[in-house]
Amino acid sequence: MFPSHRLRDFSLLAAADVEALRTLGGPPVALPRHSIIRSEGATDRSAYLLVDGWVSSSMLLAGGERQILKLHLPGDMLGSTGMCLDHAIDTLAALTPVIVRKVPLAALGQLMAKSPRMAMFMLLSAQKERVALMDRVASNSRTSPTARMAFLLLDLHQRLSAIGQADHDSFEIAITQEQLGDIVGLTSVHVNRVLREMEREDLIQRHRRRVWIVDFDHFRTVARIPRRDMSVDPSWRILDTPDEDAQRQGPASSTASTAA
Amino acid sequence: MFPSHRLRDFSLLAAADVEALRTLGGPPVALPRHSIIRSEGATDRSAYLLVDGWVSSSMLLAGGERQILKLHLPGDMLGSTGMCLDHAIDTLAALTPVIVRKVPLAALGQLMAKSPRMAMFMLLSAQKERVALMDRVASNSRTSPTARMAFLLLDLHQRLSAIGQADHDSFEIAITQEQLGDIVGLTSVHVNRVLREMEREDLIQRHRRRVWIVDFDHFRTVARIPRRDMSVDPSWRILDTPDEDAQRQGPASSTASTAA
DNA sequence: CGTGCATTTGAGAAGAATCAATGCCCGTGG
DNA sequence: CCACGGGCATTGATTCTTCTCAAATGCACG
C-alpha cells in the first residue's frame, strides 16, 4: 500500500529496510475528511505512515489561532517528532479522506537499532524537515503575502510531482483558502485577494481547484526563496555493506521530497 | 573546552561518546564579532561545535531581507543540516566574539557508524530542532509582535539558564534590537517600541543589555506558546549495553535545550 | 571628547485584518 | 428536475497595525 513512486526517496535504504518500513505499521486505515489522527498534547507514542490523502500538522495557539506547520502528502511519515517529546506538539488532521498506517515509535526504534542504515535514513529525513521549516520561517516572517503564496505553490507542485500527482505545470489544491492561510500566516480573505491578484498578473491560472503556474522561472523569483536540492553525498554511504548494496532500489536521486 | 555544564544534554551518550565528540573537531578557534563562520551556498561539508559566544543561523532572501532562523548558544552544534544538502542553506555569523571547533561531517558519520547511540543522539537532536522551528513558525506567523518577543525572551532565558549564563529572573542579551527583529520578523524600530511597551506594562525591566522578566507565569501567557518538555523516553534506551551504561554521565534530565 | 554604532522618537504611508454581504458550486431530498 | 442548504469563494468598506523615512539622542570605546 506504500506508494511505490515514493520509493525513490528511499534510495539510501536496502530493499529489506523498505520492506521492514512497509510492514512495520499496522494495517492501512481509511479515515474521512476532518478526522483528527492525533491531537496535540497526546501521549500516545506512535508515528503514522501517510498512504493516501493530505494531512495537516498544526498547532492551536493560546489565543485560538491555528498555524499549519506542515502539509503532509502521501508517502510522508507523520508525528516522528514525538520521539523527543512526552506530549505531541502538533495535531494531525485529515484535510482530505486519508489512508494511514500507525507505526509505534518503539518499533521504529528497534528497526533503527537493527539497521544503522535505517537510523541514518531517519536522521536525514529529520534534517530535510528542518530545512523545509527553515524556509517556511523565512518565507512567513520576511516576505510579502504574494511571495509566501508563490513559495507554497511551488513547494506543493514540486512535492506533488515527486509522487506523480501533478502535471508538468499544474496541480489540484485539495484544501481551502482558509487552510492555505493557516500555512502562510494570512487570513482567508487576504489569501483570496492574493490569488486573484496573481491571476490578474498572469502569474497563475485557476479553474476549480486546479492551479497552473504560467512561468516557473519567473514564479521562483516572485517566491524569493530558491529551490533546495537535497544531496545524496557518497560519504554518507559509509554504512553500506556489499550484500546490502546489491539489494538497493534504483539509482540515487539528487532531489527528494521530505519524508520524515 | 566543550562546556561541561552542557553535558546534561548528552545524557543519552556514553562517556566514550562524549569524549569522541569532544575530540572529533579541530582545535578551538577564536573569531571576532561579525565573522562569517560559513556562508549560505557553501559546499564545504562540515559542522561546527560552538564552544563560546552567540552565533546566528540566517538566510538572505532574494529581496535583500535577512531572517535569522536560529540563535545558537554555547554547546550547540552548528550546520548539521548540511548532511542533507550540497549547498549550505544558512549563513553562520558570529554575533559576539566566539570560539568554535570545526567538525567534518564525514567524521560525524563515522562516529555514528561506530556508535549507534551517537546516531540516535543526533536524530533526537535534529528532532528537537524541528520542534523549536515549529514553535518559531507558529510564533512568527500567527502571534502579535509582543507575543513573539515574549516567546523569544522566554526561550533565551531557558536556554541560557541551562548553560549557567542566566540568573533566576534575568539575563544579558548579547545582540542588537535589529538582530532581535531579524529573528521575530519585525523591523528594529518596531522591536524597540515593543520592548518599551513591555517595560511600561511592567512585563519586563531593562538596564543596559540585561533584561528581567517580572512574572514568568504571566509572561508565558503573553507568549501564547507553551514551554516544551523534551522527553528521555526509556524505550529509546534500547541501544544501551551494560558496560556502556556504567559509563553514562549523570542522570537523564527531563528537559534539555536543543543541541543539534 | 569625538566617532560610530545603537537606541529612541515622531509623522505619515502602506499593508493586512476585520466585519459584513453576496455569489457560487454541489450534493440532497422532495 | 428543481428548490434548498451548507461550505467556500469573492467583494467592499473600514479600522488597526506595522513599516518607512527621518532625525535626535545616548552610550561605549579609543
Side-chain angles (χ1 to χ4, degrees):
Chain A
M1 295 300 291
F2 206 73
S4 62
H5 46 251
R6 288 283 300 178
L7 290 182
R8 78 163 72 198
D9 279 2
F10 296 85
S11 54
L12 276 179
L13 296 177
D17 295 326
V18 174
E19 190 54 31
L21 247 190
R22 264 198 196 127
T23 59
L24 197 61
V29 175
L31 297 170
R33 194 163 90 112
H34 294 149
S35 300
I36 303 297
I37 299 169
R38 186 201 61 189
S39 293
E40 51 199 300
T43 55
D44 178 35
R45 300 196 66 72
S46 57
Y48 300 83
L49 281 175
L50 178 55
V51 178
D52 196 39
W54 292 22
V55 168
S56 71
S57 153
S58 68
M59 275 175 58
L60 197 60
L61 303 192
E65 310 87 353
R66 178 189 324 284
Q67 173 66 38
I68 294 180
L69 302 158
K70 170 89 186 185
L71 206 49
H72 285 293
L73 303 180
D76 282 358
M77 181 172 296
L78 323 178
S80 71
T81 50
M83 61 179 66
C84 74
L85 294 166
D86 288 326
H87 300 275
I89 186 181
D90 55 345
T91 295
L92 300 172
L95 301 180
T96 68
V98 301
I99 300 175
V100 295
R101 284 172 182 265
K102 192 170 188 168
V103 182
L105 285 179
L108 251 189
Q110 287 174 338
L111 183 53
M112 287 189 280
K114 270 186 294 194
S115 163
R117 197 200 304 265
M118 177 63 72
M120 191 61 77
F121 169 73
M122 290 297 298
L123 173 56
L124 287 176
S125 291
Q127 298 288 27
K128 288 178 192 171
E129 288 299 324
R130 275 178 77 183
V131 169
L133 280 165
M134 289 162 85
D135 281 337
R136 173 71 50 213
V137 168
S139 181
N140 284 9
S141 303
R142 276 287 186 236
T143 73
S144 70
T146 303
R148 296 185 206 179
M149 278 306 302
F151 174 63
L152 175 56
L153 294 178
L154 285 168
D155 179 50
L156 272 178
H157 181 264
Q158 182 183 354
R159 292 172 60 205
L160 286 169
S161 292
I163 58 175
Q165 295 189 8
D167 279 358
H168 179 63
D169 62 348
S170 77
F171 61 97
E172 298 265 341
I173 297 187
I175 62 179
T176 68
Q177 293 181 358
E178 180 166 15
Q179 289 160 343
L180 290 175
D182 283 344
I183 299 173
V184 296
L186 297 170
T187 62
S188 61
V189 172
H190 208 66
V191 167
N192 184 272
R193 291 196 229 269
V194 168
L195 287 175
R196 315 225 89 226
E197 180 63 14
M198 282 180 163
E199 214 171 0
R200 203 187 61 71
E201 291 179 359
D202 203 32
L203 293 173
I204 62 173
Q205 292 181 358
R206 293 187 303 157
H207 184 67
R208 294 274 194 276
R209 324 205 83 169
R210 182 162 286 270
V211 175
W212 285 261
I213 295 174
V214 174
D215 178 342
F216 274 80
D217 286 339
H218 181 224
F219 208 49
R220 282 195 198 96
T221 68
V222 171
R224 291 288 146 127
I225 292 177
R227 195 159 60 91
R228 305 292 171 195
D229 291 318
M230 301 298 175
S231 88
V232 183
D233 184 320
S235 73
W236 288 98
R237 295 290 196 86
I238 53 177
L239 295 174
D240 290 357
T241 60
D243 61 302
E244 280 178 330
D245 267 350
Q247 299 177 35
R248 191 185 319 290
Q249 306 259 330
S253 67
S254 64
T255 66
S257 69
T258 55
Chain B
M1 294 304 290
F2 207 73
S4 62
H5 45 251
R6 289 283 300 178
L7 289 181
R8 75 164 72 198
D9 278 3
F10 296 84
S11 56
L12 277 178
L13 297 177
D17 295 327
V18 174
E19 190 53 31
L21 247 190
R22 266 200 194 121
T23 59
L24 197 62
V29 175
L31 298 170
R33 193 162 92 112
H34 295 148
S35 300
I36 302 299
I37 300 170
R38 186 203 59 190
S39 293
E40 51 199 299
T43 55
D44 178 33
R45 301 196 64 70
S46 58
Y48 300 83
L49 282 175
L50 179 55
V51 178
D52 196 40
W54 293 22
V55 168
S56 71
S57 153
S58 67
M59 274 175 58
L60 197 61
L61 304 191
E65 311 87 352
R66 178 188 324 283
Q67 174 66 37
I68 294 180
L69 303 158
K70 170 92 188 182
L71 205 49
H72 285 292
L73 303 180
D76 283 358
M77 182 172 294
L78 323 177
S80 71
T81 49
M83 61 179 66
C84 73
L85 295 165
D86 287 326
H87 300 274
I89 186 181
D90 56 347
T91 295
L92 300 172
L95 301 182
T96 67
V98 301
I99 301 175
V100 295
R101 282 171 184 266
K102 191 170 188 169
V103 182
L105 285 178
L108 250 189
Q110 285 172 339
L111 182 53
M112 288 189 280
K114 270 187 292 193
S115 163
R117 198 201 304 267
M118 178 62 72
M120 190 62 77
F121 169 74
M122 290 297 300
L123 173 56
L124 287 176
S125 291
Q127 297 289 26
K128 287 178 193 171
E129 288 299 323
R130 273 178 78 183
V131 169
L133 279 165
M134 288 162 86
D135 280 337
R136 172 74 45 217
V137 169
S139 182
N140 283 9
S141 303
R142 275 289 186 235
T143 73
S144 69
T146 303
R148 295 184 207 179
M149 277 305 302
F151 175 63
L152 174 56
L153 294 179
L154 284 168
D155 179 50
L156 272 178
H157 180 263
Q158 182 183 354
R159 292 172 60 205
L160 286 170
S161 292
I163 58 174
Q165 296 190 6
D167 279 356
H168 180 62
D169 63 346
S170 76
F171 60 97
E172 298 265 342
I173 297 187
I175 62 178
T176 69
Q177 294 180 356
E178 180 164 16
Q179 289 160 343
L180 291 174
D182 283 343
I183 299 173
V184 296
L186 298 170
T187 60
S188 61
V189 171
H190 208 65
V191 166
N192 184 270
R193 290 195 228 270
V194 167
L195 288 176
R196 315 224 90 227
E197 180 63 14
M198 282 181 164
E199 214 171 2
R200 204 187 61 71
E201 292 178 0
D202 203 31
L203 292 172
I204 62 174
Q205 292 180 359
R206 294 186 304 158
H207 183 67
R208 295 275 195 275
R209 324 203 84 168
R210 182 163 287 268
V211 175
W212 286 262
I213 296 174
V214 174
D215 178 343
F216 274 81
D217 287 340
H218 181 224
F219 208 49
R220 282 196 198 94
T221 68
V222 171
R224 291 288 144 117
I225 292 177
R227 196 159 58 90
R228 305 291 171 195
D229 290 318
M230 301 297 174
S231 87
V232 182
D233 186 321
S235 73
W236 288 98
R237 295 288 197 87
I238 52 177
L239 295 175
D240 290 356
T241 59
D243 62 302
E244 279 178 332
D245 268 348
Q247 299 177 33
R248 193 185 317 293
Q249 305 259 331
S253 67
S254 64
T255 64
S257 68
T258 53

